[in-house]
Amino acid sequence: MRRGETATTTRMGPLGLLVLLLLSAISLCGAKIVYPISDSHRSAALELFSPSFESLKEAYEALRTFEVLGVEINNYRSTQACQSVLNTLGSSSSDVKDVYYALRVQKILKCDAGWENIKDVTLKLQSTICGASSLFDFYFSVGSLVLIKELDIDAEVKLEDANGVFRSIKSLGQSDGRWRYNSNNPESSTRAAGIAIEALAGVVSLAPLDVDLSLIGSVKTSIAKLFESIEKYDDGALYFDEKIVDARDYQGPLSTSLSVVHGFVALADVTSEAINVPREKLLGLAKFFLCVGMPGNAHDFYSQIDSLALLERNNFSIPLILSLPSTVLSLTRKDQLKVTLNTVLGSSAPPVSVKLVQAAVSGSKDSPIINNQELRFDSASGFHVLDSLPESADVGPYEFSFRVDLPDADISNFYATGGITKVSIYLTGLTKLEGAEIAILDSDHGSIDTKNKLELAGKNSVALSANHLQKMRLSFTLSSPLGNAFKPHQVLLKLRYETNIEHVFVIGNSGKQFELILDFLELVDKLYYLSGRYDIELTVGDAVMENSFVQPLGHINLELPTTPEKAARPPPPPVDPYLRYGPKAEISHIFRAPEKRPPREVSLVFLGLTLVPLGGFLIGLLSFGVSLKGFPTSAVPAVFAILFHLGIAGVLTLYLLFWLKLNLFTTLKILGFLGVFLLFTGHRILSHLASVSAKSKSA
Amino acid sequence: MANLLPLLTLISLLFLLPHHTLAFSPDTPTGRRILVLVDDLAIRSSHALYFKSLTSRNYDLELRLADDPKLALQRYGQYLYDGLILFCPTVERFGGAIIKEAVLDFVDSGRDLVLAADEDASDLIREIATECGVDFDEDPAALVIDHASYAVSSTEGDHTLIASDDFIQSDVILGSKAIEAPVLFQGVGHSLNPANNLVLKVLSASPSAYSANPKFTLSNAPVLTGSAISLVSVVQARNNARILISGSLKIFSDRFEKSGNEQFLTELSKWIFHERGHLKAVNVKHHKVGEVDEPSIYRITDDLEYSVEIYEWSGTSWEPYVADDVQIQFYMMSPYVLKTLSTDQKGLYYTSFKVPDVYGVFKFKVEYQRLGYTSLSLSKQIPVRPFRHNEYERFITTAYPYYGACFSMVS
């Protein structure tokens, strides 16, 4: 099997691969390098958001995502959304939350809305703020007022008691930087903190006069505290999450982080003073949102894109993402090392220089192959390119360290690049495999019995035979493209017995020479004394080899001694599931053959023969003449005599009937009666005969 | 207080009612309530497509952290869920009242389990898998590596993201539509216990794969090599509970868009949650040819007719099951008659045969075990008697000479 045949080209968005790298047990973020938002996100967004909206919130999330990604919003979506905006803003009974999202949609779509009702809406919002107790009431109504103000229509939007509102929102805050949703609920939440900070920023922008600086200062300290509780993945990605997860209200880390980002960006927009958020943390947050890849759920997708958009346009620090289009470089194709530097949404970075600080074989203490080399910026493609790898670069896994150098202090204060970025790079190439041969050696003096040359590029089918006193030797040389010794990760020889029992051997090397000697005398136990045909298969493969292969080499017939009693039994061969379940062979019962009978004619002849004496008797009877002399002449004995003979005839008829149809029980019953009758008549007739003979004697 | 009691009962009844209506039962094998245990709630975002495919098929997913102290699988002896998905490869012990035995009891009660391990899978997860007949590579850092059939990608250099299309050949497990693209897999390989014939390899690695730690050179031969490595396996227990064991949690994630993963796992989840391959047999009938009523006993050499109706659960209703290999055995210690049933293609299977000339207590046995289907095991005892005294042949020509001899003798 060659690589070209089975390797499956699978095109995936670059983001698709991020999470796959090793080391980390965390399932969401495990990537070492992250990639900015790309076109695959745009197509995914169109698939993910349903064409019709169920609520204004959903509409806003979809439209905002499309706006950030620069995806065109189709007419159907915009008409539909505008219609519900009009309905919501036109009605005085709309929910504050709906008004808020309607205004947000309006900000994106700029529908032709009639503003006749806007004063009522404004008044209603202001009264909601006065009576509000829950954080969401503040958030939606303050947010709506800010949006109405931004609409730039002549509606009077002001918050008279800004300081008071500020304090009442602030009163929901906790000492650890988190917030409560509502004054009755003691549980605090990180997401609520983000919402509260955004609401506070809104209050500041609505205030007719400046809000008390000490109040803003206290919010800043709580932001700092919030950032202290930020959570961290192994690769440096940072995110906010709830401390106590209540499954009902829990929105997930994306949503929580989004709300915090919203909060501090909004506050940074309205205050003139700087907010002390370390730039590395913003970069960590950006990495988190990017390493999520492509969320499969619409709300998460929106959270990701909206946060990245805020991180990209915030006014204190913009994260820059260093990424590589390819981390597998083929020496055969002379691939160039390319690095791109983008903002999180994929727009190009300001002019910077990228320096390759070091490139060394990973996990080795050898001297690095590249030290401090600046990459050439190719303005046509937008890549920072390393024109050629040094001559000494051989195949192997490398670790490259990059550093982004910003030209002047102004820019370097504004952008966050995260210091040195380490990336694993695989340099692949074609290895040279030569001089392969397989031989059978005689054990005692090591002389070669048979020897076969192998063409590892072509097909081989050697047929060897050996007994347990011999050895098999397989040898070849393998070297890297530069002619150095190279040990692939997988150099295995497999012997497969007829019943699918496999034995795997690792082929060892010294330098370029690879050799495996199988001494069958030592192996008989391991081979379970099974003589017969073994198929030989050689596998050579490595992550940096472009010519990895699995190849059947042929077979060897082994003659091994008979199994001693104590030897281990071979393991049961794996059962083929397809054979296990087939229908069974049909079975039909073989009935006992009926006994053999003579032909009908024979039976009838014999029947005739048995009837011959009877016939003879009857003929004799007739020819000698029947003497009825003894038959009683007087009336009464004559009647008994006739009855007696009729009784005998009846018994004979009964026997005939018994044969023809009656069963034993009926027959015996009737026979009982007939017997008594016969006994009686017989007794009478015999006693008569006896008296007659007694008379004649006495006479 | 006395007045409150009926009210409380009513409330608790109302509370329990939905659980009863949704509960797992032989009539509707597809349970609706599924508990998903995760290490990190972010899995809800990263594996959203898989969850969406389940919720779109009306499953009721409850996503909880695996160490949530309030976890419970059952309350008052009633199971709260019909299925359990363990997407928590690193959990050392579950929260709440769930222990390893509780998970196994859950399966023993006929409910379904999906288990995903990963590199660095915890002992707990490995033990549950071992109980199901699946042994993960013992080296915790080992991954399945394949230098010949890996996913070609410009950012994956270590060949642990492998592409496999060695699927089990079974329409009932993977659906009748062929999986369009190879499945991308990155994780731990496992082997199946050859003595266990309930566990099946659904996705195997290619012949060039091996399981080893990619960071270190191989000093000993790898234990798992070639297509003996199972990547995804399923178990169908004797009580028809179904288990899916995967060596990778990432295989379920949304990352591998252009691969066959989504189709593969969706089809497999249909099988796991009994939307396919769940059979039931009803209306088992047998009687003498020409009669309708079922006799309590047969005589040897009687001709009899046997019929049974078999239906397959489609996720929403019972559909007639069509096959041509259902067999009946007339069985006493060993089968005397084994016959393939004819079918009318509408779920009815029937045949007729002659009762063997051996008397004793027989059984009608239908043992239907097919790859991926739940096993049907019907057994009905029926005695068979010999001829009565008056059921033998009466007029045997061969005997006429004897009758004649007697007759002539008597006369």
Side-chain angles (χ1 to χ4, degrees):
Chain A
M1 191 181 347
R2 287 208 318 274
R3 174 179 162 183
E5 289 161 8
T6 48
T8 317
T9 316
T10 325
R11 203 187 72 74
M12 285 176 289
L15 280 161
L17 294 164
L18 301 184
V19 178
L20 304 173
L21 287 177
L22 315 171
L23 280 172
S24 163
I26 291 157
S27 41
L28 186 69
C29 268
K32 286 200 138 181
I33 48 172
V34 292
Y35 292 80
I37 298 295
S38 65
D39 279 339
S40 54
H41 259 80
R42 296 187 175 89
S43 49
L46 282 171
E47 281 172 28
L48 199 59
F49 291 99
S50 59
S52 55
F53 309 120
E54 274 180 22
S55 66
L56 272 167
K57 178 171 185 269
E58 213 175 275
Y60 165 67
E61 288 182 357
L63 296 171
R64 170 71 181 153
T65 311
F66 292 155
E67 186 194 21
V68 172
L69 291 177
V71 177
E72 200 183 330
I73 300 162
N74 66 19
N75 252 339
Y76 176 70
R77 280 197 169 108
S78 53
T79 357
Q80 198 198 359
C82 276
Q83 192 55 48
S84 35
V85 168
L86 284 182
N87 291 346
T88 312
L89 294 182
S91 133
S92 53
S93 60
S94 301
D95 192 31
V96 192
K97 183 181 169 188
D98 286 337
V99 171
Y100 173 74
Y101 284 111
L103 287 162
R104 288 223 153 229
V105 171
Q106 167 65 22
K107 194 182 165 193
I108 296 170
L109 287 181
K110 314 224 164 16
C111 312
D112 285 332
W115 301 114
E116 49 277 4
N117 256 335
I118 203 70
K119 282 197 176 145
D120 295 348
V121 174
T122 314
L123 284 175
K124 193 181 153 202
L125 289 170
Q126 277 163 341
S127 69
T128 314
I129 293 175
C130 295
S133 65
S134 89
L135 191 55
F136 278 112
D137 285 347
F138 282 118
Y139 174 73
F140 289 126
S141 42
V142 170
S144 304
L145 286 179
V146 172
L147 288 165
I148 292 174
K149 192 179 169 192
E150 284 174 13
L151 276 175
D152 207 19
I153 46 174
D154 50 325
E156 186 78 6
V157 185
K158 263 195 191 126
L159 208 54
E160 290 306 333
D161 183 21
N163 278 333
V165 174
F166 201 104
R167 277 197 191 89
S168 44
I169 298 177
K170 189 75 196 45
S171 70
L172 293 170
Q174 301 286 317
S175 56
D176 60 353
R178 292 184 298 157
W179 244 267
R180 287 175 298 155
Y181 280 113
N182 140 357
S183 49
N184 303 328
N185 185 353
E187 280 179 30
S188 54
S189 137
T190 312
R191 184 165 165 258
I195 291 170
I197 295 167
E198 199 185 344
L200 290 175
V203 173
V204 173
S205 75
L206 289 174
L209 301 166
D210 278 350
V211 173
D212 194 346
L213 276 181
S214 64
L215 286 174
I216 296 180
S218 71
V219 176
K220 280 183 187 163
T221 37
S222 73
I223 291 182
K225 275 187 187 140
L226 207 54
F227 270 89
E228 278 165 23
S229 73
I230 198 162
E231 296 188 45
K232 189 171 185 218
Y233 279 130
D234 291 357
D235 61 339
L238 302 173
Y239 65 103
F240 291 97
D241 204 353
E242 300 295 357
K243 286 231 171 64
I244 300 161
V245 174
D246 184 350
R248 275 174 297 122
D249 295 333
Y250 183 62
Q251 300 268 340
L254 275 171
S255 201
T256 311
S257 307
L258 167 72
S259 98
V260 177
V261 171
H262 254 297
F264 75 76
V265 170
L267 194 69
D269 281 348
V270 294
T271 55
S272 47
E273 290 167 68
I275 293 179
N276 285 329
V277 175
R279 276 181 293 157
E280 298 72 50
K281 294 213 165 161
L282 284 191
L283 185 68
L285 273 171
K287 275 190 180 164
F288 167 73
F289 285 114
L290 288 175
C291 81
V292 170
M294 202 115 47
N297 136 344
H299 179 70
D300 286 339
F301 198 97
Y302 153 76
S303 306
Q304 181 195 30
I305 298 295
D306 195 21
S307 323
L308 289 174
L310 288 172
L311 287 173
E312 170 144 320
R313 59 136 276 255
N314 75 68
N315 59 14
F316 47 90
S317 173
I318 293 181
L320 290 181
I321 303 294
L322 180 140
S323 62
L324 281 83
S326 171
T327 58
V328 182
L329 303 177
S330 162
L331 292 177
T332 335
R333 289 197 308 265
K334 299 207 166 23
D335 287 345
Q336 284 181 320
L337 176 76
K338 291 175 183 169
V339 175
T340 54
L341 205 65
N342 293 103
T343 61
V344 286
L345 288 179
S347 38
S348 49
V352 290
S353 62
V354 178
K355 190 175 255 180
L356 178 53
V357 180
Q358 199 185 56
V361 177
S362 47
S364 111
K365 293 202 173 77
D366 295 349
S367 58
I369 56 164
I370 303 174
N371 261 323
N372 277 328
Q373 187 169 348
E374 191 159 323
L375 303 186
R376 176 177 64 83
F377 182 66
D378 178 15
S379 50
S381 60
F383 288 122
H384 297 265
V385 185
L386 179 69
D387 284 319
S388 63
L389 289 162
E391 290 294 312
S392 60
D394 206 347
V395 294
Y398 286 83
E399 191 170 76
F400 282 46
S401 315
F402 298 96
R403 195 178 67 222
V404 178
D405 289 331
L406 296 154
D408 52 58
D410 281 357
I411 294 183
S412 69
N413 280 338
F414 193 55
Y415 288 98
T417 56
I420 287 180
T421 313
K422 288 187 177 173
V423 182
S424 305
I425 297 222
Y426 290 86
L427 299 184
T428 67
L430 289 168
T431 51
K432 285 188 280 267
L433 206 154
E434 289 160 335
E437 59 177 38
I438 190 163
I440 300 294
L441 311 176
D442 282 329
S443 188
D444 33 0
H445 29 77
S447 62
I448 293 171
D449 192 49
T450 46
K451 187 163 143 184
N452 290 68
K453 288 239 178 267
L454 295 171
E455 278 297 322
L456 288 178
K459 279 195 173 172
N460 294 288
S461 59
V462 294
L464 302 169
S465 60
N467 61 30
H468 65 281
L469 297 174
Q470 291 175 311
K471 295 175 181 172
M472 187 179 88
R473 187 183 73 192
L474 175 78
S475 58
F476 56 86
T477 58
L478 196 151
S479 57
S480 70
L482 292 188
N484 297 328
F486 170 67
K487 180 162 169 47
H489 194 243
Q490 181 189 26
V491 194
L492 303 174
L493 182 84
K494 199 181 265 188
L495 289 184
R496 187 184 299 113
Y497 187 61
E498 293 151 1
T499 53
N500 269 335
I501 301 177
E502 293 182 341
H503 306 278
V504 184
F505 305 94
V506 179
I507 304 178
N509 71 322
S510 60
K512 297 176 198 172
Q513 186 67 31
F514 284 75
E515 190 178 59
L516 174 73
I517 295 180
L518 296 181
D519 184 349
F520 293 119
L521 193 59
E522 288 169 10
L523 286 173
V524 281
D525 240 9
K526 201 183 162 192
L527 298 176
Y528 305 109
Y529 296 89
L530 293 169
S531 300
R533 182 187 158 119
Y534 286 81
D535 290 323
I536 312 170
E537 195 179 82
L538 176 67
T539 320
V540 178
D542 194 275
V544 297
M545 261 174 81
E546 286 172 11
N547 50 349
S548 304
F549 64 89
V550 193
Q551 206 181 59
L553 299 182
H555 69 268
I556 179 167
N557 269 313
L558 283 183
E559 273 178 57
L560 301 182
T562 47
T563 320
E565 282 187 5
K566 282 179 195 163
R569 302 264 117 213
V575 189
D576 184 353
Y578 304 113
L579 295 180
R580 198 196 296 153
Y581 290 111
K584 291 178 188 149
E586 291 203 356
I587 299 171
S588 52
H589 183 69
I590 300 167
F591 286 85
R592 236 171 319 179
E595 283 162 32
K596 270 196 180 158
R597 290 174 183 178
R600 199 179 157 81
E601 291 74 22
V602 176
S603 308
L604 291 177
V605 167
F606 275 91
L607 173 65
L609 283 178
T610 55
L611 291 178
V612 168
L614 180 65
F617 169 70
L618 286 177
I619 291 166
L621 215 58
L622 286 175
S623 59
F624 291 116
V626 182
S627 160
L628 294 172
K629 271 191 308 196
F631 203 79
T633 44
S634 56
V636 176
V639 170
F640 278 114
I642 290 164
L643 285 177
F644 179 65
H645 281 96
L646 282 178
I648 287 176
V651 169
L652 286 176
T653 321
L654 182 67
Y655 285 171
L656 188 69
L657 284 173
F658 172 52
W659 178 48
L660 287 178
K661 61 191 286 192
L662 294 181
N663 64 28
L664 190 64
F665 299 100
T666 357
T667 313
L668 283 178
K669 220 186 296 170
I670 301 171
L671 193 65
F673 290 118
L674 275 176
V676 171
F677 178 73
L678 272 182
L679 202 67
F680 175 68
T681 50
H683 175 258
R684 290 304 293 264
I685 188 68
L686 281 178
S687 62
H688 169 74
L689 286 179
S691 69
V692 169
S693 72
K695 268 180 202 161
S696 66
K697 270 182 191 167
S698 63
Chain B
M1 192 63 208
N3 293 337
L4 269 178
L5 209 62
L7 191 69
L8 280 177
T9 328
L10 191 70
I11 291 171
S12 58
L13 266 180
L14 280 175
F15 179 71
L16 284 172
L17 211 58
H19 292 285
H20 280 293
T21 48
L22 288 169
F24 186 90
S25 78
D27 290 333
T28 53
T30 307
R32 292 291 165 206
R33 302 157 304 159
I34 297 174
L35 176 66
V36 185
L37 296 186
V38 295
D39 283 335
D40 179 347
L41 282 166
I43 287 178
R44 183 158 66 175
S45 310
S46 58
H47 293 55
L49 287 180
Y50 186 69
F51 294 135
K52 204 157 93 184
S53 89
L54 290 178
T55 43
S56 68
R57 301 208 308 274
N58 286 329
Y59 289 100
D60 195 0
L61 297 188
E62 190 175 327
L63 199 80
R64 303 280 285 273
L65 275 176
D67 51 5
D68 186 336
K70 285 182 231 153
L71 284 183
L73 285 178
Q74 50 180 331
R75 190 189 293 150
Y76 312 128
Q78 295 261 1
Y79 277 104
L80 298 171
Y81 308 98
D82 304 315
L84 179 61
I85 296 181
L86 297 180
F87 279 177
C88 45
T90 58
V91 67
E92 290 293 346
R93 53 190 293 273
F94 295 116
I98 304 184
I99 49 171
K100 184 183 95 189
E101 284 71 21
V103 174
L104 298 173
D105 286 344
F106 183 79
V107 174
D108 284 344
S109 72
R111 289 163 170 79
D112 308 319
L113 172 69
V114 175
L115 181 142
D118 230 326
E119 67 257 38
D120 300 322
S122 69
D123 287 344
L124 175 66
I125 294 296
R126 283 166 185 268
E127 278 168 24
I128 295 177
T130 308
E131 294 284 343
C132 301
V134 162
D135 300 312
F136 282 109
D137 195 328
E138 283 174 11
D139 179 357
L143 289 170
V144 184
I145 309 171
D146 195 333
H147 297 303
S149 71
Y150 55 92
V152 176
S153 131
S154 53
T155 45
E156 281 286 307
D158 57 1
H159 299 179
T160 56
L161 178 65
I162 63 175
S164 173
D165 54 0
D166 190 359
F167 304 112
I168 192 169
Q169 298 302 313
S170 165
D171 282 358
V172 61
I173 296 179
L174 291 181
S176 47
K177 213 168 132 218
I179 307 288
E180 280 157 2
V183 167
L184 296 185
F185 179 94
Q186 187 174 45
V188 211
H190 59 259
S191 62
L192 305 185
N193 183 351
N196 184 340
N197 55 16
L198 301 173
V199 50
L200 296 169
K201 217 189 281 182
V202 179
L203 181 70
S204 333
S206 84
S208 54
Y210 63 111
S211 172
N213 184 345
K215 298 252 163 0
F216 300 107
T217 49
L218 281 176
S219 49
N220 294 318
V223 183
L224 295 175
T225 57
S227 27
I229 303 179
S230 177
L231 306 176
V232 179
S233 300
V234 295
V235 181
Q236 174 156 277
R238 289 194 178 81
N239 61 0
N240 294 337
R242 287 172 174 176
I243 305 168
L244 168 72
I245 294 172
S246 154
S248 163
L249 176 58
K250 286 162 197 152
I251 192 174
F252 294 91
S253 75
D254 310 346
R255 323 270 152 194
F256 308 117
E257 272 196 350
K258 303 281 189 256
S259 65
N261 288 28
E262 194 184 346
Q263 187 192 1
F264 172 71
L265 292 166
T266 306
E267 292 300 327
L268 205 51
S269 73
K270 286 183 186 164
W271 183 82
I272 290 290
F273 295 119
H274 294 264
E275 287 175 45
R276 259 203 312 260
H278 192 105
L279 301 179
K280 76 164 179 184
V282 289
N283 284 341
V284 181
K285 283 183 197 154
H286 60 88
H287 52 78
K288 279 195 216 169
V289 171
E291 291 179 10
V292 181
D293 294 334
E294 181 175 303
S296 57
I297 190 165
Y298 283 105
R299 196 197 67 192
I300 56 172
T301 71
D302 268 352
D303 286 304
L304 65 85
E305 284 177 346
Y306 179 91
S307 68
V308 59
E309 287 172 38
I310 303 182
Y311 294 94
E312 184 184 356
W313 180 249
S314 72
T316 47
S317 61
W318 290 100
E319 304 290 339
Y321 173 67
V322 180
D324 56 0
D325 55 356
V326 185
Q327 292 181 320
I328 169 98
Q329 298 179 29
F330 200 60
Y331 189 97
M332 181 171 71
M333 315 282 275
S334 65
Y336 279 70
V337 173
L338 197 158
K339 212 172 170 195
T340 305
L341 299 175
S342 321
T343 172
D344 66 348
Q345 308 287 327
K346 285 173 193 143
L348 178 69
Y349 291 82
Y350 58 91
T351 193
S352 64
F353 59 89
K354 196 188 260 299
V355 176
D357 53 358
V358 178
Y359 57 86
V361 179
F362 278 83
K363 274 182 206 160
F364 287 110
K365 248 168 103 164
V366 174
E367 290 284 336
Y368 191 64
Q369 285 169 339
R370 289 297 173 269
L371 189 67
Y373 286 98
T374 55
S375 56
L376 283 182
S377 180
L378 310 176
S379 175
K380 202 164 190 182
Q381 193 163 302
I382 189 87
V384 171
R385 62 169 175 81
F387 286 122
R388 262 203 289 271
H389 70 277
N390 57 355
E391 283 170 339
Y392 290 98
E393 196 184 355
R394 199 149 195 158
F395 305 105
I396 304 170
T397 329
T398 322
Y400 286 180
Y402 300 95
Y403 297 154
C406 287
F407 196 73
S408 77
M409 183 80 174
V410 170
S411 310

